[in-house]
Amino acid sequence: MDWQPHITVATVIEDQGRFLLVEEMAEGRAVFNQPAGHLDANESLLQAAIRETLEETGWDVELTGVTGIYLYTAPSNGVTYQRVCFAGKALRHHPEYTLDHGIIGPCWLTRDELAAQPERWRSELVVRCIDDYLSGHCFPLSLIRD
């Protein structure tokens, strides 16, 4: 059996109680997710998180810590993902930036606004990462070794 987990990164970016999320199309429906994506070849996890956030939201961010490392098997396709989720802060928005294919756009929601719409979560990791962040789970960036 050839089993390979997919390495992904995500960011939890909070500003005054609202979280930067991505509204995107997945399996024919509009869903919410953290800015997230796959690690590219010859790229560090930190570089990937910064790149994916820009590509999906048009925001430059500064990473401030590691919220958690998650192992998740998607029930829709059986693929296993290892997600490294970073905390960070928004620095600068580039409204003219061309977002990745399938991205409807960035949005800022409170945890309660997001929690009220579970049918629109890309996966349960969306709220879990925010809850871990809100619980104070933040490890130093030095946890990640290139």
Side-chain angles (χ1 to χ4, degrees):
M1 179 170 128
D2 185 29
W3 177 82
Q4 295 183 346
H6 294 249
I7 307 300
T8 62
V9 294
T11 57
V12 174
I13 309 298
E14 188 231 355
D15 185 35
Q16 299 179 4
R18 294 193 175 276
F19 294 91
L20 178 60
L21 296 168
V22 174
E23 188 176 16
E24 62 186 344
M25 294 302 295
E27 300 173 9
R29 63 190 186 98
V31 296
F32 293 121
N33 197 9
Q34 270 90 27
H38 291 267
L39 178 68
D40 286 347
N42 302 312
E43 181 178 51
S44 74
L45 290 167
L46 282 77
Q47 290 168 334
I50 291 167
R51 175 186 54 77
E52 286 289 350
T53 303
L54 177 63
E55 290 177 352
E56 294 191 352
T57 69
W59 278 91
D60 289 325
V61 297
E62 177 185 344
L63 303 179
T64 58
V66 178
T67 302
I69 300 171
Y70 306 84
L71 196 59
Y72 174 75
T73 301
S76 62
N77 61 13
V79 172
T80 299
Y81 299 90
Q82 181 179 343
R83 173 188 268 205
V84 180
C85 186
F86 295 91
K89 62 181 179 179
L91 298 177
R92 180 171 178 244
H93 188 228
H94 303 274
E96 74 290 347
Y97 194 89
T98 301
L99 304 178
D100 278 353
H101 177 74
I103 302 296
I104 297 167
C107 57
W108 292 87
L109 297 176
T110 66
R111 193 247 183 241
D112 290 343
E113 289 168 336
L114 180 62
Q117 303 176 67
E119 71 283 357
R120 299 215 38 220
W121 303 347
R122 177 78 186 253
S123 77
E124 61 263 16
L125 286 180
V126 178
V127 171
R128 183 170 180 202
C129 289
I130 288 173
D131 286 345
D132 286 349
Y133 168 84
L134 290 171
S135 296
H137 293 282
C138 191
F139 302 91
L141 291 173
S142 62
L143 175 72
I144 305 297
R145 307 290 179 143
D146 293 329

